[in-house]
Structures are given as C-alpha cells and as structure tokens.
Amino acid sequence: MLFLFIFIACLVFQLVLPWWIICPIAMGLAFWKAKTAGNAFFSGFAAVFLLWVIVGLFHSIPNENLLANRIGQLFTLPESQFNWVIILIVTGIIGGLVAGFSALAGFYLRIAFLKPARV
C-alpha cells in the first residue's frame, strides 16, 4: 500500500513541483504508513524507480531516444544504440535511492517520536 501511495503522490506532485519533492513525500508517507524499515526503504525505492523509468520512457520513445543517446555520449559511454537504456536505469536508481533513504528517514523519525526515551 505504501508503494502505491508514494507512486501516485510523486506522479501527481512532480507534474508541477521540482524533482526533489519526492523526498518530503516519501518521508511523510513512510512516517504515516511504513511498518518496518525494510518496507519503508524498498517501497520508496521501488515506487520512484518505477515512476522515473516509466516517465523517462514516455518522454524518450517518441523522439527515438535522441536526447538519452546524446547524454550517453556526453558521459562517454561506449558507442551503442542502447545508451538510452543505461541512462534510464541510472536515472531510476538515483531517484529510487533518494526516495528510499527519505522514506527510511521518515520511518526512523516516527520511531524516534513514538518510543519513549530510555534512561
């Protein structure tokens, strides 16, 4: 359920806000809904990874992957017709890691507030 909430919220808010809005969204939703640390991290990672790959494909396929291939050349990837796949996967991993660690921080923040301090 957390995966779906993060996926939909990030999809909607990234239409009008900057890319880093995934951080407060993943953190807030994990604070509210995550059951374990693993659940928080992997839900945040998978939701944004999948979202960014789908959106990247949506923008890249109509122009025959021209921009993604040029970015591959910019990063001096070997000459290949499939540089766009590498760029797409790396982009998804970066977004996924940002959201995953933000969701993990949200889960641990809730744990810090809910558990009484031991003296």
Side-chain angles (χ1 to χ4, degrees):
M1 191 62 97
L2 179 60
F3 168 85
L4 193 59
F5 285 153
I6 293 173
F7 185 87
I8 292 171
C10 287
L11 175 64
V12 169
F13 284 109
Q14 280 190 333
L15 293 174
V16 293
L17 295 171
W19 71 269
W20 51 263
I21 196 65
I22 62 174
C23 294
I25 289 172
M27 183 180 277
L29 289 174
F31 183 90
W32 174 54
K33 212 57 170 157
K35 294 179 180 14
T36 64
N39 178 331
F41 179 81
F42 289 115
S43 293
F45 180 88
V48 173
F49 177 84
L50 188 64
L51 174 67
W52 281 21
V53 167
I54 289 171
V55 170
L57 284 172
F58 181 75
H59 289 295
S60 187
I61 288 176
N63 69 7
E64 298 174 356
N65 310 311
L66 183 65
L67 181 61
N69 281 325
R70 288 190 180 171
I71 292 172
Q73 291 173 352
L74 179 70
F75 287 117
T76 64
L77 293 176
E79 285 297 320
S80 172
Q81 185 179 359
F82 299 105
N83 283 344
W84 65 274
V85 175
I86 296 169
I87 296 298
L88 197 64
I89 290 172
V90 168
T91 302
I93 289 172
I94 290 170
L97 286 174
V98 169
F101 283 121
S102 296
L104 189 62
F107 172 76
Y108 283 136
L109 193 62
R110 183 180 76 200
I111 295 299
F113 280 123
L114 292 183
K115 295 224 175 169
R118 293 181 182 169
V119 179

